[in-house]
PDB file of all heavy atoms in Angstrom:
ATOM      1  N   LEU Q  13     -15.200   0.122 -17.605  1.00 86.00           N
ATOM      2  CA  LEU Q  13     -14.562   1.015 -18.576  1.00 86.00           C
ATOM      3  C   LEU Q  13     -13.814   2.148 -17.883  1.00 86.00           C
ATOM      4  O   LEU Q  13     -14.188   2.566 -16.794  1.00 86.00           O
ATOM      5  CB  LEU Q  13     -15.621   1.653 -19.484  1.00 86.00           C
ATOM      6  CG  LEU Q  13     -16.398   0.745 -20.426  1.00 86.00           C
ATOM      7  CD1 LEU Q  13     -17.518   1.550 -21.074  1.00 86.00           C
ATOM      8  CD2 LEU Q  13     -15.482   0.173 -21.489  1.00 86.00           C
ATOM      9  N   CYS Q  14     -12.772   2.659 -18.555  1.00 88.00           N
ATOM     10  CA  CYS Q  14     -12.101   3.888 -18.124  1.00 88.00           C
ATOM     11  C   CYS Q  14     -12.321   4.936 -19.207  1.00 88.00           C
ATOM     12  O   CYS Q  14     -12.220   4.616 -20.396  1.00 88.00           O
ATOM     13  CB  CYS Q  14     -10.612   3.637 -17.915  1.00 88.00           C
ATOM     14  SG  CYS Q  14     -10.271   2.629 -16.462  1.00 88.00           S
ATOM     15  N   PRO Q  15     -12.629   6.197 -18.822  1.00 82.00           N
ATOM     16  CA  PRO Q  15     -12.997   7.205 -19.821  1.00 82.00           C
ATOM     17  C   PRO Q  15     -11.846   7.782 -20.632  1.00 82.00           C
ATOM     18  O   PRO Q  15     -12.048   8.638 -21.460  1.00 82.00           O
ATOM     19  CB  PRO Q  15     -13.661   8.294 -18.970  1.00 82.00           C
ATOM     20  CG  PRO Q  15     -13.062   8.133 -17.631  1.00 82.00           C
ATOM     21  CD  PRO Q  15     -12.765   6.685 -17.455  1.00 82.00           C
ATOM     22  N   SER Q  16     -10.616   7.336 -20.401  1.00 83.00           N
ATOM     23  CA  SER Q  16      -9.478   7.893 -21.128  1.00 83.00           C
ATOM     24  C   SER Q  16      -8.407   6.835 -21.302  1.00 83.00           C
ATOM     25  O   SER Q  16      -8.243   5.948 -20.467  1.00 83.00           O
ATOM     26  CB  SER Q  16      -8.925   9.092 -20.340  1.00 83.00           C
ATOM     27  OG  SER Q  16      -7.580   9.327 -20.636  1.00 83.00           O
ATOM     28  N   ALA Q  17      -7.652   6.943 -22.418  1.00 84.00           N
ATOM     29  CA  ALA Q  17      -6.562   5.998 -22.695  1.00 84.00           C
ATOM     30  C   ALA Q  17      -5.420   6.162 -21.686  1.00 84.00           C
ATOM     31  O   ALA Q  17      -4.580   5.280 -21.546  1.00 84.00           O
ATOM     32  CB  ALA Q  17      -6.042   6.215 -24.109  1.00 84.00           C
ATOM     33  N   GLY Q  18      -5.408   7.275 -20.968  1.00 87.00           N
ATOM     34  CA  GLY Q  18      -4.376   7.538 -19.955  1.00 87.00           C
ATOM     35  C   GLY Q  18      -4.747   6.977 -18.592  1.00 87.00           C
ATOM     36  O   GLY Q  18      -4.076   7.234 -17.591  1.00 87.00           O
ATOM     37  N   LEU Q  19      -5.851   6.218 -18.550  1.00 91.00           N
ATOM     38  CA  LEU Q  19      -6.283   5.560 -17.309  1.00 91.00           C
ATOM     39  C   LEU Q  19      -6.348   4.067 -17.576  1.00 91.00           C
ATOM     40  O   LEU Q  19      -6.633   3.642 -18.690  1.00 91.00           O
ATOM     41  CB  LEU Q  19      -7.669   6.055 -16.880  1.00 91.00           C
ATOM     42  CG  LEU Q  19      -7.826   7.525 -16.538  1.00 91.00           C
ATOM     43  CD1 LEU Q  19      -9.293   7.868 -16.316  1.00 91.00           C
ATOM     44  CD2 LEU Q  19      -7.034   7.890 -15.289  1.00 91.00           C
ATOM     45  N   GLN Q  20      -6.079   3.267 -16.562  1.00 91.00           N
ATOM     46  CA  GLN Q  20      -6.207   1.815 -16.723  1.00 91.00           C
ATOM     47  C   GLN Q  20      -6.975   1.251 -15.536  1.00 91.00           C
ATOM     48  O   GLN Q  20      -7.001   1.846 -14.465  1.00 91.00           O
ATOM     49  CB  GLN Q  20      -4.825   1.171 -16.829  1.00 91.00           C
ATOM     50  CG  GLN Q  20      -3.976   1.321 -15.587  1.00 91.00           C
ATOM     51  CD  GLN Q  20      -2.558   0.811 -15.776  1.00 91.00           C
ATOM     52  OE1 GLN Q  20      -2.131   0.546 -16.878  1.00 91.00           O
ATOM     53  NE2 GLN Q  20      -1.835   0.693 -14.675  1.00 91.00           N
ATOM     54  N   LEU Q  21      -7.594   0.099 -15.754  1.00 91.00           N
ATOM     55  CA  LEU Q  21      -8.335  -0.545 -14.666  1.00 91.00           C
ATOM     56  C   LEU Q  21      -7.362  -0.964 -13.576  1.00 91.00           C
ATOM     57  O   LEU Q  21      -6.292  -1.508 -13.863  1.00 91.00           O
ATOM     58  CB  LEU Q  21      -9.092  -1.769 -15.185  1.00 91.00           C
ATOM     59  CG  LEU Q  21     -10.431  -1.492 -15.858  1.00 91.00           C
ATOM     60  CD1 LEU Q  21     -11.012  -2.770 -16.414  1.00 91.00           C
ATOM     61  CD2 LEU Q  21     -11.411  -0.838 -14.906  1.00 91.00           C
ATOM     62  N   GLY Q  22      -7.741  -0.685 -12.341  1.00 91.00           N
ATOM     63  CA  GLY Q  22      -6.912  -1.062 -11.198  1.00 91.00           C
ATOM     64  C   GLY Q  22      -6.988  -2.558 -10.945  1.00 91.00           C
ATOM     65  O   GLY Q  22      -7.745  -3.282 -11.607  1.00 91.00           O
ATOM     66  N   PRO Q  23      -6.210  -3.042  -9.958  1.00 92.00           N
ATOM     67  CA  PRO Q  23      -6.175  -4.477  -9.656  1.00 92.00           C
ATOM     68  C   PRO Q  23      -7.551  -5.079  -9.370  1.00 92.00           C
ATOM     69  O   PRO Q  23      -7.782  -6.252  -9.648  1.00 92.00           O
ATOM     70  CB  PRO Q  23      -5.277  -4.567  -8.424  1.00 92.00           C
ATOM     71  CG  PRO Q  23      -4.506  -3.299  -8.395  1.00 92.00           C
ATOM     72  CD  PRO Q  23      -5.348  -2.267  -9.057  1.00 92.00           C
ATOM     73  N   ASN Q  24      -8.479  -4.254  -8.844  1.00 89.00           N
ATOM     74  CA  ASN Q  24      -9.815  -4.788  -8.514  1.00 89.00           C
ATOM     75  C   ASN Q  24     -10.722  -4.894  -9.744  1.00 89.00           C
ATOM     76  O   ASN Q  24     -11.825  -5.423  -9.654  1.00 89.00           O
ATOM     77  CB  ASN Q  24     -10.474  -3.934  -7.419  1.00 89.00           C
ATOM     78  CG  ASN Q  24     -10.742  -2.495  -7.855  1.00 89.00           C
ATOM     79  OD1 ASN Q  24     -10.588  -2.147  -9.028  1.00 89.00           O
ATOM     80  ND2 ASN Q  24     -11.121  -1.666  -6.920  1.00 89.00           N
ATOM     81  N   GLY Q  25     -10.273  -4.375 -10.897  1.00 87.00           N
ATOM     82  CA  GLY Q  25     -11.058  -4.464 -12.128  1.00 87.00           C
ATOM     83  C   GLY Q  25     -12.271  -3.563 -12.151  1.00 87.00           C
ATOM     84  O   GLY Q  25     -13.101  -3.648 -13.053  1.00 87.00           O
ATOM     85  N   ARG Q  26     -12.406  -2.654 -11.169  1.00 87.00           N
ATOM     86  CA  ARG Q  26     -13.579  -1.779 -11.089  1.00 87.00           C
ATOM     87  C   ARG Q  26     -13.234  -0.296 -11.105  1.00 87.00           C
ATOM     88  O   ARG Q  26     -13.977   0.509 -11.641  1.00 87.00           O
ATOM     89  CB  ARG Q  26     -14.374  -2.089  -9.813  1.00 87.00           C
ATOM     90  CG  ARG Q  26     -15.009  -3.471  -9.799  1.00 87.00           C
ATOM     91  CD  ARG Q  26     -16.058  -3.616  -8.717  1.00 87.00           C
ATOM     92  NE  ARG Q  26     -15.614  -3.231  -7.395  1.00 87.00           N
ATOM     93  CZ  ARG Q  26     -15.041  -4.060  -6.522  1.00 87.00           C
ATOM     94  NH1 ARG Q  26     -14.854  -5.321  -6.835  1.00 87.00           N
ATOM     95  NH2 ARG Q  26     -14.670  -3.632  -5.325  1.00 87.00           N
ATOM     96  N   THR Q  27     -12.098   0.064 -10.463  1.00 90.00           N
ATOM     97  CA  THR Q  27     -11.715   1.478 -10.417  1.00 90.00           C
ATOM     98  C   THR Q  27     -10.606   1.753 -11.428  1.00 90.00           C
ATOM     99  O   THR Q  27      -9.875   0.849 -11.826  1.00 90.00           O
ATOM    100  CB  THR Q  27     -11.234   1.880  -8.996  1.00 90.00           C
ATOM    101  OG1 THR Q  27     -10.186   0.991  -8.623  1.00 90.00           O
ATOM    102  CG2 THR Q  27     -12.350   1.808  -7.988  1.00 90.00           C
ATOM    103  N   CYS Q  28     -10.502   3.012 -11.837  1.00 92.00           N
ATOM    104  CA  CYS Q  28      -9.493   3.406 -12.822  1.00 92.00           C
ATOM    105  C   CYS Q  28      -8.347   4.140 -12.148  1.00 92.00           C
ATOM    106  O   CYS Q  28      -8.568   5.009 -11.292  1.00 92.00           O
ATOM    107  CB  CYS Q  28     -10.124   4.320 -13.868  1.00 92.00           C
ATOM    108  SG  CYS Q  28     -11.374   3.479 -14.861  1.00 92.00           S
ATOM    109  N   ILE Q  29      -7.119   3.783 -12.516  1.00 92.00           N
ATOM    110  CA  ILE Q  29      -5.942   4.453 -11.961  1.00 92.00           C
ATOM    111  C   ILE Q  29      -5.168   5.124 -13.097  1.00 92.00           C
ATOM    112  O   ILE Q  29      -5.215   4.688 -14.244  1.00 92.00           O
ATOM    113  CB  ILE Q  29      -5.028   3.480 -11.155  1.00 92.00           C
ATOM    114  CG1 ILE Q  29      -4.666   2.244 -11.985  1.00 92.00           C
ATOM    115  CG2 ILE Q  29      -5.669   3.090  -9.835  1.00 92.00           C
ATOM    116  CD1 ILE Q  29      -3.654   1.331 -11.316  1.00 92.00           C
ATOM    117  N   ASP Q  30      -4.484   6.199 -12.752  1.00 92.00           N
ATOM    118  CA  ASP Q  30      -3.746   6.990 -13.738  1.00 92.00           C
ATOM    119  C   ASP Q  30      -2.515   6.246 -14.240  1.00 92.00           C
ATOM    120  O   ASP Q  30      -1.823   5.583 -13.475  1.00 92.00           O
ATOM    121  CB  ASP Q  30      -3.316   8.317 -13.090  1.00 92.00           C
ATOM    122  CG  ASP Q  30      -2.529   9.201 -14.049  1.00 92.00           C
ATOM    123  OD1 ASP Q  30      -3.000   9.418 -15.171  1.00 92.00           O
ATOM    124  OD2 ASP Q  30      -1.437   9.664 -13.662  1.00 92.00           O
ATOM    125  N   ILE Q  31      -2.248   6.376 -15.545  1.00 92.00           N
ATOM    126  CA  ILE Q  31      -1.001   5.873 -16.124  1.00 92.00           C
ATOM    127  C   ILE Q  31      -0.082   7.087 -16.236  1.00 92.00           C
ATOM    128  O   ILE Q  31      -0.470   8.096 -16.832  1.00 92.00           O
ATOM    129  CB  ILE Q  31      -1.237   5.289 -17.546  1.00 92.00           C
ATOM    130  CG1 ILE Q  31      -2.175   4.079 -17.489  1.00 92.00           C
ATOM    131  CG2 ILE Q  31       0.086   4.922 -18.214  1.00 92.00           C
ATOM    132  CD1 ILE Q  31      -2.681   3.631 -18.866  1.00 92.00           C
ATOM    133  N   ASP Q  32       1.108   7.006 -15.644  1.00 93.00           N
ATOM    134  CA  ASP Q  32       2.068   8.109 -15.751  1.00 93.00           C
ATOM    135  C   ASP Q  32       2.832   7.953 -17.069  1.00 93.00           C
ATOM    136  O   ASP Q  32       3.826   7.235 -17.138  1.00 93.00           O
ATOM    137  CB  ASP Q  32       3.026   8.108 -14.549  1.00 93.00           C
ATOM    138  CG  ASP Q  32       3.941   9.330 -14.535  1.00 93.00           C
ATOM    139  OD1 ASP Q  32       4.094   9.972 -15.583  1.00 93.00           O
ATOM    140  OD2 ASP Q  32       4.508   9.631 -13.467  1.00 93.00           O
ATOM    141  N   GLU Q  33       2.331   8.630 -18.120  1.00 91.00           N
ATOM    142  CA  GLU Q  33       2.955   8.504 -19.445  1.00 91.00           C
ATOM    143  C   GLU Q  33       4.396   8.994 -19.443  1.00 91.00           C
ATOM    144  O   GLU Q  33       5.211   8.550 -20.249  1.00 91.00           O
ATOM    145  CB  GLU Q  33       2.171   9.302 -20.504  1.00 91.00           C
ATOM    146  CG  GLU Q  33       0.800   8.760 -20.815  1.00 91.00           C
ATOM    147  CD  GLU Q  33      -0.292   9.309 -19.919  1.00 91.00           C
ATOM    148  OE1 GLU Q  33       0.025   9.996 -18.902  1.00 91.00           O
ATOM    149  OE2 GLU Q  33      -1.468   9.046 -20.198  1.00 91.00           O
ATOM    150  N   CYS Q  34       4.711   9.939 -18.543  1.00 90.00           N
ATOM    151  CA  CYS Q  34       6.064  10.509 -18.505  1.00 90.00           C
ATOM    152  C   CYS Q  34       7.086   9.478 -18.035  1.00 90.00           C
ATOM    153  O   CYS Q  34       8.183   9.399 -18.575  1.00 90.00           O
ATOM    154  CB  CYS Q  34       6.095  11.724 -17.587  1.00 90.00           C
ATOM    155  SG  CYS Q  34       4.929  13.011 -18.092  1.00 90.00           S
ATOM    156  N   SER Q  35       6.737   8.667 -17.028  1.00 90.00           N
ATOM    157  CA  SER Q  35       7.708   7.702 -16.503  1.00 90.00           C
ATOM    158  C   SER Q  35       7.673   6.372 -17.262  1.00 90.00           C
ATOM    159  O   SER Q  35       8.662   5.652 -17.283  1.00 90.00           O
ATOM    160  CB  SER Q  35       7.484   7.466 -15.005  1.00 90.00           C
ATOM    161  OG  SER Q  35       6.230   6.874 -14.795  1.00 90.00           O
ATOM    162  N   THR Q  36       6.546   6.066 -17.937  1.00 87.00           N
ATOM    163  CA  THR Q  36       6.474   4.792 -18.664  1.00 87.00           C
ATOM    164  C   THR Q  36       7.040   4.915 -20.077  1.00 87.00           C
ATOM    165  O   THR Q  36       7.208   3.916 -20.765  1.00 87.00           O
ATOM    166  CB  THR Q  36       5.017   4.271 -18.770  1.00 87.00           C
ATOM    167  OG1 THR Q  36       4.238   5.276 -19.422  1.00 87.00           O
ATOM    168  CG2 THR Q  36       4.434   3.937 -17.430  1.00 87.00           C
ATOM    169  N   GLY Q  37       7.325   6.160 -20.515  1.00 82.00           N
ATOM    170  CA  GLY Q  37       7.892   6.364 -21.850  1.00 82.00           C
ATOM    171  C   GLY Q  37       6.847   6.382 -22.955  1.00 82.00           C
ATOM    172  O   GLY Q  37       7.187   6.392 -24.129  1.00 82.00           O
ATOM    173  N   ARG Q  38       5.554   6.397 -22.596  1.00 83.00           N
ATOM    174  CA  ARG Q  38       4.492   6.443 -23.609  1.00 83.00           C
ATOM    175  C   ARG Q  38       4.316   7.845 -24.178  1.00 83.00           C
ATOM    176  O   ARG Q  38       3.783   8.020 -25.259  1.00 83.00           O
ATOM    177  CB  ARG Q  38       3.163   5.980 -22.998  1.00 83.00           C
ATOM    178  CG  ARG Q  38       3.055   4.464 -22.964  1.00 83.00           C
ATOM    179  CD  ARG Q  38       1.879   3.982 -22.160  1.00 83.00           C
ATOM    180  NE  ARG Q  38       0.587   4.403 -22.706  1.00 83.00           N
ATOM    181  CZ  ARG Q  38      -0.571   3.891 -22.314  1.00 83.00           C
ATOM    182  NH1 ARG Q  38      -0.592   2.928 -21.399  1.00 83.00           N
ATOM    183  NH2 ARG Q  38      -1.710   4.303 -22.816  1.00 83.00           N
ATOM    184  N   ALA Q  39       4.794   8.847 -23.417  1.00 85.00           N
ATOM    185  CA  ALA Q  39       4.658  10.240 -23.852  1.00 85.00           C
ATOM    186  C   ALA Q  39       5.690  10.558 -24.924  1.00 85.00           C
ATOM    187  O   ALA Q  39       6.812  10.074 -24.873  1.00 85.00           O
ATOM    188  CB  ALA Q  39       4.853  11.169 -22.659  1.00 85.00           C
ATOM    189  N   VAL Q  40       5.285  11.377 -25.894  1.00 85.00           N
ATOM    190  CA  VAL Q  40       6.217  11.807 -26.935  1.00 85.00           C
ATOM    191  C   VAL Q  40       6.317  13.334 -26.880  1.00 85.00           C
ATOM    192  O   VAL Q  40       5.373  14.036 -27.221  1.00 85.00           O
ATOM    193  CB  VAL Q  40       5.730  11.358 -28.335  1.00 85.00           C
ATOM    194  CG1 VAL Q  40       6.725  11.784 -29.415  1.00 85.00           C
ATOM    195  CG2 VAL Q  40       5.517   9.853 -28.383  1.00 85.00           C
ATOM    196  N   CYS Q  41       7.449  13.828 -26.385  1.00 86.00           N
ATOM    197  CA  CYS Q  41       7.713  15.265 -26.341  1.00 86.00           C
ATOM    198  C   CYS Q  41       9.007  15.525 -27.106  1.00 86.00           C
ATOM    199  O   CYS Q  41       9.931  14.712 -27.033  1.00 86.00           O
ATOM    200  CB  CYS Q  41       7.877  15.748 -24.898  1.00 86.00           C
ATOM    201  SG  CYS Q  41       6.366  15.655 -23.900  1.00 86.00           S
ATOM    202  N   SER Q  42       9.072  16.654 -27.823  1.00 81.00           N
ATOM    203  CA  SER Q  42      10.293  16.974 -28.563  1.00 81.00           C
ATOM    204  C   SER Q  42      11.428  17.308 -27.590  1.00 81.00           C
ATOM    205  O   SER Q  42      11.191  17.548 -26.405  1.00 81.00           O
ATOM    206  CB  SER Q  42      10.039  18.125 -29.538  1.00 81.00           C
ATOM    207  OG  SER Q  42       9.553  19.255 -28.846  1.00 81.00           O
ATOM    208  N   PHE Q  43      12.666  17.349 -28.104  1.00 78.00           N
ATOM    209  CA  PHE Q  43      13.860  17.471 -27.255  1.00 78.00           C
ATOM    210  C   PHE Q  43      13.840  18.679 -26.322  1.00 78.00           C
ATOM    211  O   PHE Q  43      14.358  18.604 -25.218  1.00 78.00           O
ATOM    212  CB  PHE Q  43      15.135  17.488 -28.121  1.00 78.00           C
ATOM    213  CG  PHE Q  43      15.421  18.838 -28.743  1.00 78.00           C
ATOM    214  CD1 PHE Q  43      16.337  19.696 -28.158  1.00 78.00           C
ATOM    215  CD2 PHE Q  43      14.771  19.256 -29.898  1.00 78.00           C
ATOM    216  CE1 PHE Q  43      16.598  20.937 -28.717  1.00 78.00           C
ATOM    217  CE2 PHE Q  43      15.033  20.492 -30.462  1.00 78.00           C
ATOM    218  CZ  PHE Q  43      15.944  21.343 -29.873  1.00 78.00           C
ATOM    219  N   ASN Q  44      13.227  19.796 -26.752  1.00 79.00           N
ATOM    220  CA  ASN Q  44      13.253  20.991 -25.905  1.00 79.00           C
ATOM    221  C   ASN Q  44      11.991  21.138 -25.045  1.00 79.00           C
ATOM    222  O   ASN Q  44      11.725  22.186 -24.503  1.00 79.00           O
ATOM    223  CB  ASN Q  44      13.480  22.248 -26.749  1.00 79.00           C
ATOM    224  CG  ASN Q  44      12.482  22.395 -27.887  1.00 79.00           C
ATOM    225  OD1 ASN Q  44      11.553  21.594 -28.011  1.00 79.00           O
ATOM    226  ND2 ASN Q  44      12.647  23.402 -28.712  1.00 79.00           N
ATOM    227  N   ARG Q  45      11.244  20.029 -24.919  1.00 85.00           N
ATOM    228  CA  ARG Q  45      10.048  20.045 -24.060  1.00 85.00           C
ATOM    229  C   ARG Q  45      10.111  18.931 -23.038  1.00 85.00           C
ATOM    230  O   ARG Q  45      10.689  17.890 -23.298  1.00 85.00           O
ATOM    231  CB  ARG Q  45       8.774  19.879 -24.908  1.00 85.00           C
ATOM    232  CG  ARG Q  45       8.538  21.048 -25.830  1.00 85.00           C
ATOM    233  CD  ARG Q  45       7.322  20.820 -26.700  1.00 85.00           C
ATOM    234  NE  ARG Q  45       7.215  21.880 -27.692  1.00 85.00           N
ATOM    235  CZ  ARG Q  45       6.162  22.683 -27.802  1.00 85.00           C
ATOM    236  NH1 ARG Q  45       5.146  22.546 -27.000  1.00 85.00           N
ATOM    237  NH2 ARG Q  45       6.140  23.621 -28.710  1.00 85.00           N
ATOM    238  N   ARG Q  46       9.514  19.172 -21.874  1.00 87.00           N
ATOM    239  CA  ARG Q  46       9.483  18.141 -20.839  1.00 87.00           C
ATOM    240  C   ARG Q  46       8.048  17.709 -20.608  1.00 87.00           C
ATOM    241  O   ARG Q  46       7.112  18.478 -20.819  1.00 87.00           O
ATOM    242  CB  ARG Q  46      10.140  18.645 -19.545  1.00 87.00           C
ATOM    243  CG  ARG Q  46       9.506  19.856 -18.931  1.00 87.00           C
ATOM    244  CD  ARG Q  46      10.417  20.508 -17.893  1.00 87.00           C
ATOM    245  NE  ARG Q  46      10.042  21.889 -17.661  1.00 87.00           N
ATOM    246  CZ  ARG Q  46       9.438  22.330 -16.563  1.00 87.00           C
ATOM    247  NH1 ARG Q  46       9.177  21.507 -15.582  1.00 87.00           N
ATOM    248  NH2 ARG Q  46       9.120  23.584 -16.423  1.00 87.00           N
ATOM    249  N   CYS Q  47       7.906  16.479 -20.185  1.00 90.00           N
ATOM    250  CA  CYS Q  47       6.594  15.868 -20.009  1.00 90.00           C
ATOM    251  C   CYS Q  47       6.035  16.195 -18.621  1.00 90.00           C
ATOM    252  O   CYS Q  47       6.751  16.136 -17.624  1.00 90.00           O
ATOM    253  CB  CYS Q  47       6.766  14.362 -20.172  1.00 90.00           C
ATOM    254  SG  CYS Q  47       5.244  13.445 -19.971  1.00 90.00           S
ATOM    255  N   VAL Q  48       4.754  16.550 -18.572  1.00 89.00           N
ATOM    256  CA  VAL Q  48       4.060  16.796 -17.302  1.00 89.00           C
ATOM    257  C   VAL Q  48       2.847  15.863 -17.269  1.00 89.00           C
ATOM    258  O   VAL Q  48       1.975  15.928 -18.139  1.00 89.00           O
ATOM    259  CB  VAL Q  48       3.608  18.272 -17.172  1.00 89.00           C
ATOM    260  CG1 VAL Q  48       2.883  18.504 -15.849  1.00 89.00           C
ATOM    261  CG2 VAL Q  48       4.798  19.223 -17.303  1.00 89.00           C
ATOM    262  N   ASN Q  49       2.803  14.961 -16.288  1.00 90.00           N
ATOM    263  CA  ASN Q  49       1.704  14.006 -16.183  1.00 90.00           C
ATOM    264  C   ASN Q  49       0.462  14.677 -15.599  1.00 90.00           C
ATOM    265  O   ASN Q  49       0.561  15.518 -14.721  1.00 90.00           O
ATOM    266  CB  ASN Q  49       2.125  12.829 -15.291  1.00 90.00           C
ATOM    267  CG  ASN Q  49       1.063  11.747 -15.254  1.00 90.00           C
ATOM    268  OD1 ASN Q  49       0.616  11.267 -16.283  1.00 90.00           O
ATOM    269  ND2 ASN Q  49       0.647  11.366 -14.065  1.00 90.00           N
ATOM    270  N   THR Q  50      -0.716  14.317 -16.128  1.00 89.00           N
ATOM    271  CA  THR Q  50      -1.984  14.781 -15.565  1.00 89.00           C
ATOM    272  C   THR Q  50      -2.857  13.543 -15.358  1.00 89.00           C
ATOM    273  O   THR Q  50      -2.523  12.472 -15.862  1.00 89.00           O
ATOM    274  CB  THR Q  50      -2.718  15.749 -16.527  1.00 89.00           C
ATOM    275  OG1 THR Q  50      -2.999  15.044 -17.747  1.00 89.00           O
ATOM    276  CG2 THR Q  50      -1.905  16.979 -16.835  1.00 89.00           C
ATOM    277  N   PHE Q  51      -3.959  13.669 -14.649  1.00 87.00           N
ATOM    278  CA  PHE Q  51      -4.828  12.518 -14.422  1.00 87.00           C
ATOM    279  C   PHE Q  51      -5.481  12.141 -15.742  1.00 87.00           C
ATOM    280  O   PHE Q  51      -6.240  12.907 -16.319  1.00 87.00           O
ATOM    281  CB  PHE Q  51      -5.897  12.820 -13.359  1.00 87.00           C
ATOM    282  CG  PHE Q  51      -6.763  11.630 -13.041  1.00 87.00           C
ATOM    283  CD1 PHE Q  51      -6.265  10.582 -12.287  1.00 87.00           C
ATOM    284  CD2 PHE Q  51      -8.058  11.540 -13.526  1.00 87.00           C
ATOM    285  CE1 PHE Q  51      -7.058   9.479 -12.004  1.00 87.00           C
ATOM    286  CE2 PHE Q  51      -8.857  10.435 -13.243  1.00 87.00           C
ATOM    287  CZ  PHE Q  51      -8.347   9.410 -12.480  1.00 87.00           C
ATOM    288  N   GLY Q  52      -5.131  10.981 -16.264  1.00 87.00           N
ATOM    289  CA  GLY Q  52      -5.715  10.484 -17.509  1.00 87.00           C
ATOM    290  C   GLY Q  52      -5.009  10.927 -18.773  1.00 87.00           C
ATOM    291  O   GLY Q  52      -5.371  10.517 -19.857  1.00 87.00           O
ATOM    292  N   SER Q  53      -3.985  11.774 -18.640  1.00 87.00           N
ATOM    293  CA  SER Q  53      -3.272  12.230 -19.827  1.00 87.00           C
ATOM    294  C   SER Q  53      -1.914  12.829 -19.453  1.00 87.00           C
ATOM    295  O   SER Q  53      -1.382  12.556 -18.381  1.00 87.00           O
ATOM    296  CB  SER Q  53      -4.137  13.257 -20.572  1.00 87.00           C
ATOM    297  OG  SER Q  53      -3.592  13.529 -21.848  1.00 87.00           O
ATOM    298  N   TYR Q  54      -1.354  13.655 -20.345  1.00 88.00           N
ATOM    299  CA  TYR Q  54      -0.108  14.377 -20.100  1.00 88.00           C
ATOM    300  C   TYR Q  54      -0.022  15.534 -21.089  1.00 88.00           C
ATOM    301  O   TYR Q  54      -0.787  15.603 -22.042  1.00 88.00           O
ATOM    302  CB  TYR Q  54       1.108  13.455 -20.290  1.00 88.00           C
ATOM    303  CG  TYR Q  54       1.407  13.100 -21.734  1.00 88.00           C
ATOM    304  CD1 TYR Q  54       2.331  13.817 -22.477  1.00 88.00           C
ATOM    305  CD2 TYR Q  54       0.734  12.057 -22.376  1.00 88.00           C
ATOM    306  CE1 TYR Q  54       2.582  13.511 -23.810  1.00 88.00           C
ATOM    307  CE2 TYR Q  54       0.985  11.744 -23.707  1.00 88.00           C
ATOM    308  CZ  TYR Q  54       1.907  12.480 -24.418  1.00 88.00           C
ATOM    309  OH  TYR Q  54       2.150  12.187 -25.735  1.00 88.00           O
ATOM    310  N   TYR Q  55       0.889  16.470 -20.838  1.00 86.00           N
ATOM    311  CA  TYR Q  55       1.170  17.501 -21.847  1.00 86.00           C
ATOM    312  C   TYR Q  55       2.661  17.805 -21.836  1.00 86.00           C
ATOM    313  O   TYR Q  55       3.370  17.412 -20.908  1.00 86.00           O
ATOM    314  CB  TYR Q  55       0.324  18.767 -21.617  1.00 86.00           C
ATOM    315  CG  TYR Q  55       0.613  19.534 -20.347  1.00 86.00           C
ATOM    316  CD1 TYR Q  55       1.466  20.635 -20.350  1.00 86.00           C
ATOM    317  CD2 TYR Q  55       0.006  19.183 -19.141  1.00 86.00           C
ATOM    318  CE1 TYR Q  55       1.713  21.354 -19.186  1.00 86.00           C
ATOM    319  CE2 TYR Q  55       0.247  19.892 -17.974  1.00 86.00           C
ATOM    320  CZ  TYR Q  55       1.107  20.985 -18.005  1.00 86.00           C
ATOM    321  OH  TYR Q  55       1.362  21.684 -16.860  1.00 86.00           O
ATOM    322  N   CYS Q  56       3.123  18.439 -22.903  1.00 87.00           N
ATOM    323  CA  CYS Q  56       4.542  18.758 -23.048  1.00 87.00           C
ATOM    324  C   CYS Q  56       4.756  20.240 -22.774  1.00 87.00           C
ATOM    325  O   CYS Q  56       4.088  21.085 -23.357  1.00 87.00           O
ATOM    326  CB  CYS Q  56       5.022  18.419 -24.446  1.00 87.00           C
ATOM    327  SG  CYS Q  56       4.845  16.669 -24.855  1.00 87.00           S
TER     328      CYS Q  56
END
């Protein structure tokens, strides 16, 4: 398991790696805000 939706299982199926929501386009920020990636999440 990974403790956050912003983390995904790595290739080995045991460790969790960060998903960069800012570069994958999963983040939703309004036009006058920019996305900042954090480990396991992001903020605008």
Side-chain angles (χ1 to χ4, degrees):
L13 294 172
C14 289
S16 155
L19 298 173
Q20 64 187 12
L21 278 176
N24 64 9
R26 294 195 308 270
T27 55
C28 295
I29 53 174
D30 180 50
I31 297 168
D32 186 341
E33 292 89 350
C34 302
S35 64
T36 58
R38 278 170 63 167
V40 181
C41 293
S42 57
F43 80 98
N44 54 4
R45 294 177 187 239
R46 60 196 159 107
C47 180
V48 180
N49 185 53
T50 61
F51 183 74
S53 191
Y54 73 95
Y55 66 96
C56 299

